[in-house]
C-alpha cells in the first residue's frame, strides 16, 4: 500500500514559482510511476504531468509544458513538481497519484491518491 501526501501549495503572484512535493510511504514507491493532476472549482480533474518510476521519462500537458518540471528522488520517496511562470489559470487543487507500471495521463489508471494541495495564483 502506498500513501501519498502533497505539500508546497500556497498563494503566489502571477509569474511566480512554487514547488510541490509528494511524499510517499511504502518501500516499493520507487517502482511506481507518478502523475500530477489538478482540479479547479467547477471543472473536471485534468492531467498536468507524469514521471516514470526511475524518473527518466516525463511528459506534460500542453498548458504547462515549458513552465512545469517534474522530478523524483526515490531515496527520499518524494516526487516534485516545480512550477514556474505561474498564471491565474493554474489556480487549482493539485494532486499526486501513483500507479505501478508505466506512467499515464489518465486519472482512472492511478490507484493511489494524495489529499491535494491548494495552489492560488493572483493576477
Amino acid at each position: 500500500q502506498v500513501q501519498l501526501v502533497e505539500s508546497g501549495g500556497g498563494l503566489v503572484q502571477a509569474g511566480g514559482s512554487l514547488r510541490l512535493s509528494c511524499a510517499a510511504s511504502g518501500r516499493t514507491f520507487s517502482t511506481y510511476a507518478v502523475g500530477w493532476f489538478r482540479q479547479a472549482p467547477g471543472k473536471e480533474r485534468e492531467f498536468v504531468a507524469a514521471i516514470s518510476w526511475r524518473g527518466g521519462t516525463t511528459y506534460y500537458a500542453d498548458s504547462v509544458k515549458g513552465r512545469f518540471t517534474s522530478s523524483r528522488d526515490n531515496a527520499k520517496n518524494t516526487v516534485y513538481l516545480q512550477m514556474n511562470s505561474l498564471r491565474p489559470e493554474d489556480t487549482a487543487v493539485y494532486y499526486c497519484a501513483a500507479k505501478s507500471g508505466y506512467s499515464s495521463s489518465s486519472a482512472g489508471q492511478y490507484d493511489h491518491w494524495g489529499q491535494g494541495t491548494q495552489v492560488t495564483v493572483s493576477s
Side-chain angles (χ1 to χ4, degrees), residues 46-61:
E46 65 173 357
F47 169 75
V48 175
I51 185 167
S52 61
W53 65 277
R54 281 188 176 177
T57 301
T58 54
Y59 58 100
Y60 304 91

Side-chain angles (χ1 to χ4, degrees), residues 74-87:
N74 284 339
K76 296 182 178 180
N77 272 9
T78 303
V79 174
Y80 305 97
L81 184 68
Q82 178 67 44
M83 306 187 297
N84 298 328
S85 301
L86 283 162
R87 304 167 180 169

Side-chain angles (χ1 to χ4, degrees), residues 2-49:
V2 174
Q3 293 184 324
L4 306 174
V5 178
E6 301 96 335
S7 62
L11 173 64
V12 64
Q13 288 188 332
S17 299
L18 285 173
R19 188 177 78 159
L20 305 184
S21 297
C22 174
S25 63
R27 290 178 295 175
T28 61
F29 179 68
S30 61
T31 65
Y32 282 75
V34 172
W36 288 95
F37 297 82
R38 66 187 183 187
Q39 188 166 19
K43 294 187 176 181
E44 293 186 354
R45 190 170 297 189
E46 65 173 357
F47 169 75
V48 175

